[in-house]
Amino acid sequence: MDSSDRAPKRPSRWWYLVFGLVVASALAYVLRDGPKHIPFSEFVGLAERNELTGTLVIGEHRVRGRAVSENGDWNFETFAPPGVDVVALVQGKTPYTGAGLEGSANWLPLLLAGALLVLVIVVLVAARTRGNAAVSAMPFSKHGAKVLTERDTMVTFSDVAGVDEAVEEVREIVDYLRAPERFEGLGGRIPKGVLLVGLPGTGKTLLARAVAGEASVPFLSISGADFVEMFAGIGAARVRDLFRKAKAIAPCIVFIDELDALGKARSNTSSGSSEEREQTLNQLLVEMDGFTANESVIILAATNRPEVLDHALLRAGRFDRHVTVDRPDVRGRLEILRLHTRNIRLGKKVDLAIVARRTPGFTGADLATLVNEAALLAARRNRSHVGMAHIEDSIDRVLAGLERRTRLISPREKGVVAVHECGHAIVASELPHADPVHRVSVIPRGANVGGVTLQLPREDRQMATRAELLDRIAVLMGGRVAERVVYDDLSTAAANDLQRATDLARRMVVEFGMSERLGPVNVSAGATVRFLKQEPGVKGTLSDETAREIDLEVRRIVTTQEERVRVLLTERKRRLVAVARVLRDRETLDARQLRSLLDAPFKKKTPDPTT
């Protein structure tokens, strides 16, 4: 234990006793000449026995003087009853003076006593403040981690699905904590730290809790933000206290959630907040280096921003193993859905395999929300079972947001929205590399001011070809072009489509090397990475000519796809108007209904959808 962890010494009680004796002596000195108050009858007795000495001071009601007795001289004070002549009582026996005493009491001893009392209080408070300053801060330096056991977590690997590779990676930790001699006998050692990396909602915390439940060892859980404090040195003290507790109850697991709040890369700034965070990070690095192989303390940490972590944390010997917890594939989604529907009353027609295929890109948290929303929706509609329709509506709600049916839309606006969304839908249905349309609606959802066209890919994909990216841009431009083809005018509904199309085209140019003008070069070194998703950026050292070429190439890609869509929708204008009129009336069309409308023969001229 270092000196910073020792409890500060309190002032000695002997010191208090000595200080009290000094104060008492001072008070006795101040009050030693203070008069003793005696009854008037005793004063009369002193006068009759001639025991008065010195000169009496006689006021209107008060008498003060000095008396002589066996114990020596002493001062006294008394009050004369009304009508009593004190002068006649002592005349001829004791000299006296008539100086008045009323309102002229000697307040000096009382003032000195009060001043000494205030001084005592100030000294005691200062001593306690100095002696107990660190003691008062000790509660802040406690780690605050929750110590859980397998009974508290109630989670095992059977409750984790869709991340089989990650489970296999961390299963070794469980085997080591259960039987460390099997690994140590072969000369191997378990990694000191395991970093779980993945998008939000992929199950990093759940996986850590499952490790604790399987290993049957104490599990200390804390967030990286719990170490951050406004007081200097508190974060480092909490780190020391956490690892001291872990060593005391080893074997155990220390889980630090949101590690990026604690382990951000150190910078050259000298602000107080950054210095405090860096002290905390330095203490964590020291504690991780201080472990030995036989302490049986495993550190698990989770983050969705590994790019901001300090390199010293990620080097060998600290977080030796990095486990990626990715989005589940279709088989993993099916397993997750089966887990979350164990306590849900599903209808006979519900096919979870179909739901898994219709939810590509969903994380475990998204699927849990989907199942819960379906159950709530079925209860709201007074159904005894959760049907496929409830799940379909829940998918739309998770993807696009809640329906806003109370939003008032004029008939003309509704017709424009119908044409806009049908433009997206028809282009997506006609292009060979576009994702098929799942549902198209004119009902606003979430923050959207217009309708929504939902596309679901046919399969899980980890990459995209140039043709697929161009078709995505074309689908995004479909709504804007449809408005121009039908109305020969434009609306503000395409603002978000234009932004997404431009961003995608820029990534094709600066990241993917898919530009004919710039060739196979990557100029996105200035791009930023947030939450495992890269945002497009351009290297700051580019020349003005190259930057201009990038802008021209992005514009060329977008305008080329716009012209491609214009030709396609102009040829299908009558079909576009017919489908838009049906969509305006029905408000929502699914994939089957849309396909039947696109394949239906024309019988007569279709009216404008806004009339």
Side-chain angles (χ1 to χ4, degrees):
M1 182 183 297
D2 54 27
S3 58
S4 61
D5 288 333
R6 297 192 188 100
K9 295 182 179 180
R10 296 188 178 185
S12 174
R13 294 185 179 182
W14 290 105
W15 187 91
Y16 287 123
L17 179 59
V18 172
F19 185 78
L21 291 175
V22 172
V23 172
S25 301
L27 289 175
Y29 175 79
V30 171
L31 301 177
R32 73 187 189 282
D33 291 331
K36 177 183 178 182
H37 184 76
I38 62 175
F40 187 75
S41 59
E42 185 176 350
F43 165 73
V44 173
L46 293 174
E48 291 178 352
R49 294 192 298 271
N50 294 325
E51 292 181 354
L52 299 176
T53 183
T55 302
L56 286 177
V57 180
I58 302 175
E60 183 178 357
H61 298 291
R62 186 185 303 176
V63 179
R64 183 179 294 171
R66 194 172 183 82
V68 180
S69 63
E70 299 177 353
N71 298 327
D73 297 351
W74 49 282
N75 297 324
F76 69 89
E77 182 183 54
T78 187
F79 290 90
V84 175
D85 189 357
V86 179
V87 175
L89 188 64
V90 299
Q91 192 172 11
K93 298 180 181 179
T94 303
Y96 63 89
T97 180
L101 294 173
E102 314 308 326
S104 61
N106 187 9
W107 297 103
L108 181 59
L110 296 179
L111 291 177
L112 291 176
L116 281 175
L117 181 60
V118 173
L119 178 62
V120 170
I121 295 175
V122 170
V123 171
L124 291 178
V125 170
R128 181 174 293 274
T129 302
R130 289 194 303 268
N132 296 344
V135 176
S136 300
M138 284 182 64
F140 293 99
S141 64
K142 296 297 183 182
H143 55 78
K146 298 179 181 178
V147 182
L148 307 175
T149 63
E150 64 274 13
R151 292 185 177 181
D152 298 320
T153 59
M154 298 296 291
V155 176
T156 62
F157 287 147
S158 61
D159 300 305
V160 181
V163 286
D164 297 339
E165 295 81 3
V167 171
E168 291 300 323
E169 289 283 342
V170 298
R171 192 182 294 275
E172 289 184 4
I173 299 175
V174 176
D175 297 338
Y176 175 79
L177 292 173
R178 286 178 175 175
E181 63 279 356
R182 183 159 60 94
F183 294 84
E184 295 172 359
L186 296 175
R189 64 174 182 85
I190 203 70
K192 295 180 181 178
V194 178
L195 182 62
L196 305 178
V197 180
L199 291 171
T202 50
K204 299 182 295 294
T205 304
L206 179 66
L207 184 59
R209 291 171 63 89
V211 172
E214 290 282 347
S216 302
V217 297
F219 182 79
L220 281 73
S221 175
I222 192 171
S223 171
D226 292 335
F227 294 101
V228 181
E229 189 58 67
M230 63 178 294
F231 302 108
I234 295 298
R238 287 179 176 174
V239 172
R240 289 192 295 270
D241 187 62
L242 172 65
F243 283 95
R244 186 185 304 113
K245 175 68 174 179
K247 294 174 185 178
I249 63 175
C252 68
I253 297 173
V254 177
F255 176 61
I256 304 177
D257 200 4
E258 303 297 342
L259 181 64
D260 49 275
L262 168 65
K264 284 185 180 179
R266 288 163 287 189
S267 61
N268 294 327
T269 59
S270 58
S271 62
S273 59
S274 63
E275 289 182 359
E276 165 62 13
R277 181 176 54 79
E278 289 180 6
Q279 289 181 14
T280 307
L281 173 59
N282 291 337
Q283 188 62 45
L284 176 62
L285 298 176
V286 171
E287 294 292 342
M288 293 188 69
D289 269 341
F291 284 145
T292 57
N294 59 357
E295 283 186 333
S296 299
V297 178
I298 306 298
I299 308 172
L300 287 179
T303 183
N304 47 36
R305 303 183 63 189
E307 71 280 355
V308 304
L309 295 180
D310 195 273
H311 293 294
L313 269 178
L314 304 179
R315 73 159 177 82
R318 291 197 174 108
F319 283 104
D320 303 84
R321 181 171 298 179
H322 298 174
V323 178
T324 301
V325 186
D326 205 354
R327 289 191 182 100
D329 56 12
V330 60
R331 184 178 57 182
R333 292 194 298 272
L334 178 58
E335 295 175 357
I336 294 174
L337 287 170
R338 287 171 177 170
L339 282 177
H340 290 303
T341 55
R342 286 181 299 187
N343 300 322
I344 302 295
R345 300 176 62 183
L346 297 177
K348 296 182 179 179
K349 295 183 179 180
V350 173
D351 189 347
L352 295 180
I354 296 177
V355 179
R357 289 196 300 270
R358 291 183 179 178
T359 52
F362 275 46
T363 64
D366 294 333
L367 295 173
T369 302
L370 186 152
V371 173
N372 185 64
E373 288 292 340
L376 296 178
L377 187 59
R380 193 179 304 125
R381 296 177 181 176
N382 295 321
R383 298 292 189 269
S384 59
H385 296 81
V386 176
M388 201 67 182
H390 305 134
I391 297 179
E392 290 284 351
D393 292 343
S394 299
I395 295 175
D396 296 343
R397 182 168 183 175
V398 172
L399 289 175
L402 179 66
E403 285 187 350
R404 299 165 61 187
R405 290 186 174 272
T406 57
R407 182 183 177 90
L408 298 179
I409 304 177
S410 66
R412 176 166 180 80
E413 284 186 350
K414 195 172 184 180
V416 173
V417 172
V419 169
H420 183 99
E421 299 304 331
C422 284
H424 289 307
I426 292 176
V427 173
S429 301
E430 296 294 334
L431 296 183
H433 303 289
D435 294 330
V437 178
H438 173 62
R439 185 168 297 172
V440 57
S441 173
V442 296
I443 302 174
R445 285 182 176 270
N448 295 329
V449 295
V452 61
T453 301
L454 295 178
Q455 295 175 261
L456 293 180
R458 299 180 180 89
E459 58 185 2
D460 294 338
R461 291 194 297 259
Q462 304 299 326
M463 63 179 184
T465 64
R466 184 174 184 272
E468 291 172 346
L469 295 179
L470 292 176
D471 281 2
R472 290 183 191 178
I473 296 176
V475 172
L476 289 170
M477 301 300 294
R480 171 188 169 92
V481 175
E483 294 179 24
R484 173 170 289 183
V485 168
V486 175
Y487 299 109
D488 196 21
D489 199 0
L490 297 173
S491 71
T492 59
N496 182 257
D497 299 331
L498 286 175
Q499 179 183 357
R500 293 166 59 190
T502 305
D503 291 343
L504 183 55
R506 181 170 293 274
R507 293 193 66 182
M508 291 177 63
V509 174
V510 302
E511 288 185 48
F512 306 141
M514 296 180 178
S515 167
E516 298 177 358
R517 184 187 297 264
L518 270 72
V521 294
N522 184 304
V523 290
S524 63
T528 56
V529 181
R530 296 182 183 276
F531 297 96
L532 300 181
K533 292 183 179 180
Q534 193 169 21
E535 297 178 356
V538 179
K539 187 184 299 183
T541 58
L542 290 179
S543 65
D544 294 340
E545 182 180 355
T546 304
R548 183 174 181 274
E549 291 290 334
I550 292 174
D551 293 337
L552 292 176
E553 186 65 6
V554 170
R555 179 182 298 177
R556 186 194 67 80
I557 292 175
V558 175
T559 54
T560 300
Q561 296 308 308
E562 182 184 29
E563 178 63 21
R564 177 189 179 195
V565 172
R566 188 190 65 78
V567 173
L568 188 151
L569 291 181
T570 301
E571 296 175 352
R572 294 164 176 77
K573 180 177 179 180
R574 291 183 60 193
R575 185 72 63 184
L576 170 63
V577 174
V579 176
R581 177 172 58 85
V582 176
L583 177 61
R584 182 199 61 184
D585 297 336
R586 298 185 184 179
E587 294 188 340
T588 300
L589 296 175
D590 58 22
R592 181 183 57 81
Q593 294 170 332
L594 177 65
R595 189 74 263 171
S596 63
L597 290 173
L598 293 177
D599 296 338
F602 283 107
K603 294 183 180 180
K604 61 180 180 178
K605 186 177 180 179
T606 306
D608 189 283
T610 61
T611 60

